[in-house]
Amino acid sequence: MALKNNKYLKPFKNVFLLILVVFAVWMIFLDSNSWLIHHELNSDIDELEAEKEYYQKEIIKDKKAIKALSTEDGIEKLAREKYYMKKDNEDIYIIEYEDSIAKTRHDE
């Protein structure tokens, strides 16, 4: 008889409320299209959008580099700066500053 008049169980006697609670639990946690899965997929989409933006910037940068290397002057500039190539009648001096030299530690 104590269960009949319990004020905490009174809302669960309503069939519509009980169905609504079961439906909400099913949709949030158990369904294949649940809120948890949608949240995870949305975070994956955000990560992929960021990656897409990064690679689009890299493509633009590479296109600029390809355009610069399509001329003789661009190839010569790359060869001189990166590979230290020179013409036969010139000398190359490489100047390194103190802050660009890797410091080594000498113990006695």
Side-chain angles (χ1 to χ4, degrees):
M1 297 230 179
L3 292 177
K4 275 187 176 179
N5 296 330
N6 194 344
K7 65 180 179 179
Y8 298 112
L9 294 178
K10 190 172 183 178
F12 293 106
K13 289 181 182 178
N14 187 347
V15 176
F16 296 111
L17 182 63
L18 190 60
I19 290 172
L20 180 65
V21 168
V22 170
F23 178 74
V25 168
W26 179 267
M27 291 305 291
I28 292 173
F29 299 108
L30 303 174
D31 193 39
S32 64
N33 296 319
S34 70
W35 179 83
L36 297 173
I37 292 174
H38 275 285
H39 182 68
E40 183 179 329
L41 291 175
N42 285 338
S43 65
D44 288 347
I45 288 171
D46 292 340
E47 289 176 14
L48 290 173
E49 292 279 339
E51 262 187 64
K52 177 182 170 185
E53 186 177 321
Y54 167 76
Y55 286 121
Q56 285 176 339
K57 289 179 183 177
E58 290 295 314
I59 288 171
I60 291 170
K61 192 186 325 179
D62 289 343
K63 283 183 180 179
K64 287 180 184 177
I66 289 171
K67 188 175 181 181
L69 291 174
S70 64
T71 63
E72 289 292 322
D73 292 335
I75 294 172
E76 183 178 345
K77 181 179 177 184
L78 176 73
R80 287 174 176 270
E81 289 178 359
K82 190 168 184 178
Y83 299 108
Y84 304 116
M85 293 184 172
K86 65 180 186 83
K87 294 182 179 177
D88 289 335
N89 60 351
E90 60 185 15
D91 295 326
I92 294 180
Y93 299 98
I94 299 172
I95 300 171
E96 293 183 356
Y97 297 99
E98 275 188 39
D99 58 349
S100 66
I101 299 173
K103 294 185 180 184
T104 58
R105 184 175 173 200
H106 298 287
D107 294 327
E108 292 185 16

